[in-house]
Amino acid sequence: MEFNEKLQELRKQKGLTQEELAEMLYVSRAAVSKWESGRGYPNIDSLKAISKFFSVSLDDLLSSDAVLTIAEEESREREKHFRSLVFGLLDCCVSVLLFLPFFGQKAGNAVQEVSLISLTKIEMYVKTAYLIIVFAVIVCGILLLALQNVRAKFWINNKDKISLGLSAAGVLIFTVSLQPYAAAFMFVFLVIKALMLIKWV
């Protein structure tokens, strides 16, 4: 008997609905439904809670193949969590462009290095574009850090792509407008992200 069938049988023996079991295990009803339909397995903590609640051993609940599948899923989840953490921190670090002298502007016959906030001798639309891309990357970083446990499908599938895309846009904007230091700074972060994605694909 597979895990999903065992869980369904144990729940029915206790006379519980999926919603009632979900409340006992502190998970959503959708999670219990997914487990019982065989579309996924609980994480280790939920498995321990199920084992304790029904007074059965983990060996009774799971086959060796199921244990391996759960371990692989846990490993993938940890990798995604770590990647989101790194992406979020890198994106938040882009805020240094606001305060450190990564931008060049003409001062007489010389080029003066200034921060984005102090950058004044350029067209307003150019500075606006800089501010938009920098703040978009920072906001993305904050969201990546704040929404670590959000399970919305769109967010899970696209958060890394959004972060990568914003970094690429920053590199492009700074390169085209001849701001090499800012472009190089963003490019380093872009390469780190790309390497992490390649490693864990």
Side-chain angles (χ1 to χ4, degrees):
M1 190 183 291
E2 295 296 320
F3 168 78
N4 61 310
E5 298 168 325
K6 290 176 186 174
L7 180 61
Q8 198 170 30
E9 187 177 288
L10 289 166
R11 175 178 61 77
K12 288 178 177 176
Q13 284 173 4
K14 287 251 186 185
L16 297 171
T17 64
Q18 287 185 344
E19 193 165 345
E20 288 168 338
L21 179 59
E23 286 176 13
M24 300 285 188
L25 300 175
Y26 302 102
V27 297
S28 66
R29 192 204 66 77
V32 174
S33 173
K34 184 174 86 170
W35 302 338
E36 288 193 357
S37 63
R39 289 180 288 117
Y41 291 98
N43 61 27
I44 298 297
D45 291 334
S46 294
L47 276 171
K48 288 177 182 175
I50 292 167
S51 172
K52 186 176 180 182
F53 180 75
F54 290 114
S55 301
V56 294
S57 70
L58 290 175
D59 288 339
D60 290 336
L61 281 175
L62 300 166
S63 66
S64 57
D65 287 343
V67 171
L68 186 60
T69 301
I70 290 168
E72 287 172 351
E73 284 180 7
E74 289 272 309
S75 176
R76 279 195 298 271
E77 282 299 312
R78 279 195 301 272
E79 286 172 359
K80 286 179 184 175
H81 179 78
F82 178 71
R83 188 169 64 220
S84 290
L85 186 64
V86 173
F87 277 34
L89 290 172
L90 289 174
D91 286 347
C92 287
C93 285
V94 169
S95 60
V96 303
L97 291 176
L98 297 169
F99 310 106
L100 295 182
F102 279 93
F103 295 86
Q105 70 179 2
K106 287 184 179 179
N109 293 328
V111 175
Q112 180 184 17
E113 295 299 324
V114 296
S115 67
L116 181 51
I117 290 174
S118 304
L119 189 62
T120 55
K121 295 176 182 177
I122 60 167
E123 297 292 337
M124 195 60 202
Y125 71 89
V126 176
K127 184 170 181 178
T128 302
Y130 291 171
L131 288 169
I132 287 171
I133 193 64
V134 167
F135 278 110
V137 172
I138 294 167
V139 168
C140 181
I142 292 168
L143 291 175
L144 282 167
L145 295 175
L147 304 179
Q148 287 281 326
N149 298 318
V150 168
R151 294 288 171 224
K153 193 170 183 179
F154 175 82
W155 180 244
I156 290 171
N157 292 338
N158 295 292
K159 60 184 178 178
D160 294 338
K161 295 173 191 170
I162 292 169
S163 176
L164 200 67
L166 287 171
S167 292
V171 171
L172 182 63
I173 287 170
F174 295 139
T175 302
V176 168
S177 59
L178 304 177
Q179 294 291 349
Y181 297 131
F185 181 79
M186 293 285 285
F187 182 72
V188 169
F189 287 0
L190 179 64
V191 168
I192 292 169
K193 291 177 186 179
L195 289 173
M196 289 185 76
L197 281 175
I198 290 166
K199 180 182 176 184
W200 283 318
V201 164

